[in-house]
């Protein structure tokens, strides 16, 4: 009975060693940078870094555009206020204009005119 237990223990140890060897080979292939999953992870990591930088640039551009838009909006609002004041001042003008003075010019009569007969 002792011999059977030793044989089973030895077979279990050999099976565990074989399983560890298979897992070690798979892990080695998994971590290869050229064609394994490690390469894919490295590429994806580089792409994430590029996208992060692009996102930061886009956020900076959007913040700058927001600042410019806010300044232009304030300028337009001030201009609209000035226009409203100008229109309000036009309503204060009298409806009728003052009468213009008429300048009469006298025509010079020519002395050579003959009297009507």
């Amino acid at each position: 009975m002792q011999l059977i237990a030793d044989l089973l223990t030895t077979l279990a140890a050999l099976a565990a060693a074989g399983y560890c060897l298979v897992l070690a080979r798979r892990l080695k292939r998994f971590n290869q940078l050229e064609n394994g999953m490690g390469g894919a992870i490295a590429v994806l990591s580089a792409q994430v870094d590029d996208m992060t930088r692009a996102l930061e640039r886009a956020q900076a551009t959007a913040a700058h555009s927001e600042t410019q838009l806010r300044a232009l909006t304030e300028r337009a609002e001030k201009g609209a206020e000035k226009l409203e004041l100008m229109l309000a001042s036009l309503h204060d003008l009298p409806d009728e204009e003052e009468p213009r003075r008429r300048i009469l010019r006298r025509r010079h009569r020519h002395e050579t005119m003959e009297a009507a007969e």
Side-chain angles (χ1 to χ4, degrees):
M1 198 66 172
Q2 178 87 19
L3 183 62
I4 295 174
D6 286 342
L7 278 174
L8 286 176
T9 305
T10 306
L11 285 174
L14 286 174
Y19 184 68
C20 286
L21 185 63
V22 170
L23 285 180
R25 286 183 183 168
R26 284 186 180 176
L27 185 61
K28 191 175 183 180
R29 275 187 276 148
F30 182 78
N31 287 331
Q32 284 180 349
L33 288 177
E34 286 115 19
N35 57 5
M37 193 58 114
I41 290 171
V43 169
L44 287 174
S45 177
Q47 288 178 345
V48 166
D49 290 341
D50 290 342
M51 292 301 289
T52 301
R53 283 192 292 272
L55 179 63
E56 288 170 355
R57 284 193 305 267
Q59 287 174 337
T61 303
H64 181 67
S65 296
E66 185 264 341
T67 303
Q68 284 182 332
L69 184 59
R70 187 177 305 275
L72 288 174
T73 303
E74 289 175 3
R75 183 175 168 201
E77 286 175 355
K78 288 178 184 177
E81 288 175 5
K82 286 181 182 178
L83 283 174
E84 288 174 1
L85 286 173
M86 292 170 98
L87 283 174
S89 67
L90 284 176
H91 290 292
D92 294 341
L93 292 176
D95 290 337
E96 296 179 16
E97 295 182 14
E98 294 180 14
R100 294 184 182 176
R101 293 184 188 174
R102 294 182 104 187
I103 299 174
L104 297 177
R105 294 184 185 167
R106 293 186 179 176
R107 293 186 183 172
H108 295 288
R109 294 187 180 190
H110 297 290
E111 293 180 18
T112 58
M113 290 180 76
E114 296 178 13
E117 292 180 15

